[in-house]
Amino acid sequence: MAHYTLNVEGNILKLFMSISSVFESHKTKGYYMLKPLENRKNIRLTPLQQKIFDTVKNGGEITRDQIEENVRFSPSVLKTLLDKEIIERIEKPFREESAPYVYHYSAPVLSKDQHSVAMSLINHVHEGGYSASVIDGVTGSGKTEVYFEVIAHVLKAGGQVVVLLPEIVLSPQWLERFEQRFGEKPVVWHSDISERMRRKAWLDIAEGKARIIVGARSALFLPYLNLKLIIVDEEHDASYKQEEGVIYQGRDMAVLRAHLAKIPIVLASATPSLETVENCNRGRYKRYVLKNRHGIAVMPKVSLISLKAPQEKRKKQLWISDQLAELISKTTERQEQVLLYLNRRGYAPVTLCRDCGKKIECPRCSVSLVEHRIHEDLRCHHCGYSQSFHAQCLSCGAEDSFVSCGPGVERIAEEVKTRFPSLRSLVIASDHVNAKQGLSGFLDQINQHHVDVIIGTQIMAKGHHFPSLTLVGVIDADLGLSGADLRASERTFQTLQQVSGRAGRAEKPGHVYIQTYFPEHPVMQALSTTDKDQFVEQELMMRSQAQLPPYGRMIAFIFKGLKESSVESAAKRFARCFPVSDQYRFLGPIQAPIYRIRGQFRWRALLMSNRDFPLQKMVQKALESFTLDPSVRMSIDVDPYSFL
Ligand SMILES: [Zn+2]
Ligand SMILES: [Zn+2]
């Protein structure tokens, strides 16, 4: 793994041992036990002393609290027994006793399709050894039930299972479903759990007591005693890619881990990543397709609203088209709910001075500050910097000259309030969610129908289903398409497909309306015809022609530091390690699209080759003879997902 990600071995080791406290000395506690018989004095005991004696005898080694659960006594009685050398007390590391995990398994009713996929996967478990399978199923097709079935199987056979989920904090519904099926909460592992829970989980996993672990990508590095199955749900999700510290792709590491441990891995998604599709095409992964929604629910209809159409010429500062507005009225009149989706936090992404044209930027990063009305400030989404709103432009001194440009979710909420004063609306974005409770409070409000219109960012795109939600309106489908990201189309397609899946998951059919300026774009066409395969094929062909992943390999180099000239010269010096060749292409170095973050200047370079070329080896060689100016840091990103 260190070899693949080009990381120092120590860094990888740190991932495995990330819970330092487990290795620190534990708190100790006093334990009581009987003195060995030959040393024990033979004296008559009072009835109370006898009772304590019996309790300690039965308990083996027990704490004072545990004795007190059986016998009430004053401290002096215990002291007498100690003084008379009948019992003894020793200090031992204290380990919180955990209740045993008891998994009950209530069998679900699976459709014929689900059943046959589950059986195939269970077969892989039976056969033993490494295998990689993909459950490719539309939203609502019951992928989770299918892999639950496989989990149940592994559990019965005594093995451990790890399930990776993106952003586990935000998956209360998943945990609920799990508990319903297995009668027990799984062990949850992510960065927000307390130190105490962390230690307990770590030990329970190492001792094989905890059998099902669900967590973020770091759950991969826990010390499993008997790991028999890995599941990666929403395998296409970009959050599997760790971008800080040790840069790695959680999904790919999971496959590697399964390979090394010689166990099966199951990837699940409604919109598998092109990397995964290509691995299926090459026969490396087995693909199982679930075409239909489970139960009576049908797939939502998807329609495009062209913002180019003359009747939709955008009225000043309005973002909901007339067509969508009418649909909102009709839907809410039927007592059904609406989700308006816009993946942009805050009120407005850009604030301009009307007089001098200057944007308000972060003093530490080369990006615009985003206006957040609920916090009454402007925030940097890259470094967390915030400042209160000044009435005066700092560049030209004009008063009250600022204009907000473009919408964020808060601005859409404002529009809903103005245009539909009688409707109850709710904004859900990560700014509004606290880490502990996650979304549960919001989800309850929606389920109890205290809300008519939900305005949400991508945290609303995932896994939740609401029986009365029948209309999804995508405010700006083009948002993700711009920029130099090679996966822009793929990601837009995946996200919008996922958002669409929120509509009509129960008895009521759903309808999705997508507002776009590019209705003829392949992504929009694929969404509206729900012909996913055609889109995937086209994308793969394009990538293949351009030798981009999954057909080509990429390694990105990011140089950063406070001294602009040193960063630039380091990047340029590094480039010289890669003479022109027809085996690979070295692009750059160039100033990164976001040139400054947290005051540090950034340069980027990109190394590309076809997929069979040993790119890592070459980089390793280059690194041997390259020394970095101490003021500059370089990070190496194998298979980069971010190009900023
Ligand atoms: Zn100005
Ligand atoms: Zn910043």
Side-chain angles (χ1 to χ4, degrees):
M1 175 172 164
H3 174 69
Y4 186 83
T5 58
L6 288 168
N7 260 289
V8 187
E9 311 253 348
N11 283 342
I12 302 290
L13 196 63
K14 252 188 260 159
L15 282 177
F16 279 96
M17 301 172 57
S18 55
I19 332 83
S20 58
S21 69
V22 173
F23 300 95
E24 285 163 11
S25 62
H26 294 280
K27 279 187 216 146
T28 60
K29 205 166 189 165
Y31 285 83
Y32 296 87
M33 63 187 79
L34 296 186
K35 276 258 184 194
L37 194 58
E38 58 273 22
N39 303 341
R40 206 186 298 153
K41 291 193 182 129
N42 203 359
I43 52 163
R44 274 189 72 91
L45 300 174
T46 67
L48 183 60
Q49 287 171 338
Q50 185 65 45
K51 241 183 169 175
I52 295 174
F53 179 90
D54 291 341
T55 307
V56 174
K57 187 177 171 191
N58 291 334
E61 281 175 18
I62 63 176
T63 64
R64 191 196 161 113
D65 296 343
Q66 286 166 325
I67 303 174
E68 273 182 323
E69 280 169 20
N70 287 298
V71 199
R72 293 183 60 93
F73 58 88
S74 66
S76 64
V77 188
L78 203 57
K79 194 166 174 301
T80 314
L81 286 170
L82 284 168
D83 290 346
K84 293 195 168 159
E85 296 191 36
I86 288 164
I87 62 173
E88 62 183 335
R89 178 180 186 280
I90 53 162
E91 282 286 321
K92 273 181 57 168
F94 170 61
R95 163 91 197 276
E96 217 160 314
E97 233 7 87
S98 50
Y101 299 89
V102 185
Y103 301 105
H104 304 284
Y105 179 60
S106 53
V109 187
L110 295 182
S111 70
K112 233 181 104 196
D113 286 358
Q114 285 175 309
H115 182 76
S116 89
V117 174
M119 289 322 282
S120 308
L121 295 173
I122 288 170
N123 257 338
H124 290 310
V125 175
H126 270 306
E127 285 160 8
Y130 165 78
S131 65
S133 315
V134 179
I135 311 176
D136 175 357
V138 296
T139 47
S141 62
K143 295 181 287 291
T144 315
E145 271 69 32
V146 170
Y147 71 67
F148 275 0
E149 190 75 16
V150 189
I151 291 177
H153 199 83
V154 174
L155 270 188
K156 281 180 195 154
Q160 283 176 310
V161 183
V162 58
V163 182
L164 301 187
L165 292 178
E167 288 157 61
I168 175 71
V169 206
L170 306 172
S171 310
Q173 287 190 339
W174 190 97
L175 292 173
E176 236 165 68
R177 273 161 90 185
F178 183 93
E179 209 177 335
Q180 275 167 16
R181 285 285 295 279
F182 293 99
E184 172 93 49
K185 286 194 178 73
V187 171
V188 175
W189 183 269
H190 55 78
S191 52
D192 281 341
I193 58 173
S194 69
E195 196 73 0
R196 199 176 64 89
M197 291 302 290
R198 200 165 268 264
R199 187 182 310 130
K200 180 171 168 335
W202 206 92
L203 291 167
D204 283 352
I205 291 163
E207 288 169 0
K209 281 190 199 158
R211 309 264 301 285
I212 309 179
I213 295 84
V214 48
R217 53 184 183 237
S218 59
L220 209 52
F221 304 107
L222 290 165
Y224 301 97
L225 184 71
N226 187 24
L227 187 61
K228 289 294 181 212
L229 175 67
I230 301 176
I231 288 165
V232 183
D233 202 353
E234 312 279 9
E235 66 85 24
H236 64 276
D237 198 282
S239 73
Y240 281 120
K241 177 83 193 220
Q242 162 135 326
E243 299 284 4
E244 271 163 36
V246 182
I247 299 177
Y248 67 95
Q249 196 347 321
R251 175 198 64 222
D252 297 349
M253 284 306 127
V255 173
L256 189 62
R257 169 121 207 203
H259 198 97
L260 294 173
K262 301 192 176 66
I263 56 172
I265 180 167
V266 176
L267 311 176
S269 173
T271 50
S273 63
L274 293 188
E275 281 79 4
T276 294
V277 171
E278 175 58 10
N279 275 320
C280 292
N281 292 346
R282 293 174 81 192
R284 295 170 148 207
Y285 299 175
K286 271 222 169 67
R287 181 179 180 195
Y288 299 97
V289 180
L290 291 171
K291 276 209 191 68
N292 301 309
R293 282 194 157 186
H294 185 45
I296 37 176
V298 289
M299 287 300 288
K301 255 180 88 180
V302 180
S303 310
L304 302 176
I305 297 178
S306 169
L307 296 176
K308 286 197 296 195
Q311 69 271 22
E312 292 297 358
K313 270 275 172 288
R314 208 169 252 179
K315 286 161 209 89
K316 234 187 155 188
Q317 313 295 21
L318 290 184
W319 318 97
I320 299 170
S321 63
D322 288 343
Q323 192 186 344
L324 184 55
E326 207 182 306
L327 290 159
I328 295 173
S329 304
K330 282 194 180 140
T331 306
T332 48
E333 272 163 28
R334 289 196 307 267
Q335 307 300 318
E336 292 168 6
Q337 289 167 312
V338 178
L339 167 66
L340 297 179
Y341 173 81
L342 176 66
N343 196 20
R344 215 189 239 152
R345 298 188 282 135
Y347 182 82
V350 173
T351 308
L352 272 181
C353 168
R354 211 185 292 117
D355 284 14
C356 69
K358 276 251 165 68
K359 291 179 200 166
I360 303 184
E361 291 200 329
C362 175
R364 295 187 284 183
C365 312
S366 38
V367 295
S368 285
L369 290 179
V370 178
E371 181 183 354
H372 285 253
R373 293 236 164 138
I374 52 158
H375 305 299
E376 297 179 349
D377 61 10
L378 294 154
R379 298 188 164 198
C380 173
H381 286 184
H382 288 270
C383 72
Y385 169 87
S386 69
Q387 69 179 44
S388 51
F389 207 88
H390 301 291
Q392 193 179 34
C393 172
L394 294 176
S395 304
C396 71
E399 292 275 350
D400 291 322
S401 61
F402 289 118
V403 274
S404 308
C405 303
V409 277
E410 291 177 18
R411 198 168 197 181
I412 300 301
E414 187 183 82
E415 183 175 341
V416 169
K417 272 211 181 82
T418 330
R419 293 175 75 175
F420 309 95
S422 65
L423 296 184
R424 300 157 301 173
S425 61
L426 176 69
V427 177
I428 306 184
S430 53
D431 311 72
H432 307 245
V433 177
N434 80 37
K436 266 233 175 77
Q437 295 174 328
L439 287 172
S440 20
F442 291 119
L443 302 183
D444 289 347
Q445 278 191 59
I446 299 168
N447 278 323
Q448 289 158 16
H449 215 128
H450 296 320
V451 178
D452 303 304
V453 182
I454 305 137
I455 301 125
T457 60
Q458 57 102 19
I459 61 170
M460 279 308 294
K462 297 209 170 104
H464 317 289
H465 35 101
F466 308 108
S468 300
L469 181 69
T470 57
L471 173 66
V472 170
V474 176
I475 299 294
D476 184 354
D478 311 331
L479 201 58
L481 289 177
S482 54
D485 187 340
L486 75 97
R487 291 182 182 83
S489 292
E490 181 190 358
R491 220 177 276 171
T492 301
F493 177 75
Q494 285 163 343
T495 317
L496 295 185
Q497 179 95 342
Q498 208 163 26
V499 176
S500 302
R502 298 311 121 227
R505 304 237 346 188
E507 293 80 4
K508 299 168 188 160
H511 209 137
V512 181
Y513 287 85
I514 296 177
Q515 301 193 142
T516 174
Y517 278 101
F518 308 103
E520 64 292 329
H521 192 288
V523 170
M524 303 309 155
Q525 286 301 317
L527 287 164
S528 63
T529 57
T530 56
D531 189 351
K532 166 173 98 170
D533 293 341
Q534 197 198 336
F535 168 74
V536 167
E537 235 165 74
Q538 273 177 20
E539 267 296 297
L540 280 175
M541 202 150 71
M542 254 174 46
R543 300 257 189 106
S544 155
Q545 279 160 3
Q547 289 267 303
L548 293 172
Y551 301 97
R553 316 238 11 233
M554 281 183 173
I555 299 179
F557 306 93
I558 304 103
F559 300 84
K560 53 192 169 195
L562 293 167
K563 228 177 118 198
E564 194 170 6
S565 57
S566 316
V567 179
E568 178 176 353
S569 75
K572 288 187 170 159
R573 223 158 28 78
F574 185 68
R576 275 182 237 127
C577 303
F578 299 88
V580 177
S581 153
D582 49 10
Q583 306 260 43
Y584 59 80
R585 282 186 294 160
F586 189 91
L587 307 179
I590 51 159
Q591 291 188 0
I594 301 180
Y595 185 41
R596 265 176 85 220
I597 292 183
R598 292 171 205 273
Q600 299 206 326
F601 295 92
R602 306 166 74 245
W603 280 71
R604 291 187 73 103
L606 189 65
L607 184 60
M608 295 169 67
S609 72
N610 69 38
R611 69 179 160 204
D612 305 315
F613 185 75
L615 213 50
Q616 271 102 333
K617 252 192 203 140
M618 202 179 66
V619 173
Q620 215 124 43
K621 254 199 132 165
L623 288 173
E624 279 164 19
S625 57
F626 180 72
T627 46
L628 210 53
D629 181 314
S631 72
V632 180
R633 281 189 48 212
M634 170 170 76
S635 36
I636 301 175
D637 187 355
V638 178
D639 308 328
Y641 276 61
S642 164
F643 298 87
L644 294 175

